[in-house]
Amino acid sequence: MPFIDIKVIAGVFTAEEQRRLVESVSEAVIAVEGEALRPVTHVVVTETPSGCWAIGGEAMTAEEVQAKRAAG
């Protein structure tokens, strides 16, 4: 029974983007594990408050991540 927890900074992804993440990751896992495990494959998005996520010791805000996304 796989349980996949996708952690993101709150405010970076829209509800639609989160839905697409959940569906796409679910399908990728099912493609590997087999169709029989579809009913027990769980994927959830957990949001961490902006500024409470650090990379290399530097706290990241939703605005900083959105700026990186926009830059490509």
Side-chain angles (χ1 to χ4, degrees), residues 11-32:
V12 172
F13 295 97
T14 66
E16 173 61 20
E17 289 170 328
Q18 289 183 34
R19 185 187 68 76
R20 288 185 5 233
L21 274 172
V22 168
E23 289 177 355
S24 297
V25 169
S26 296
E27 291 302 324
V29 171
I30 292 163
V32 171

Side-chain angles (χ1 to χ4, degrees), residues 54-69:
I55 299 173
E58 183 178 330
M60 298 291 291
T61 65
E63 294 77 21
E64 291 168 325
V65 176
Q66 288 170 335
K68 288 182 183 287
R69 285 180 81 189

Side-chain angles (χ1 to χ4, degrees), residues 29-51:
V29 171
I30 292 163
V32 171
E33 69 188 8
E35 195 61 40
L37 292 183
R38 180 180 291 276
V40 293
T41 300
H42 304 271
V43 179
V44 65
V45 173
T46 301
E47 291 186 309
T48 299
S50 180

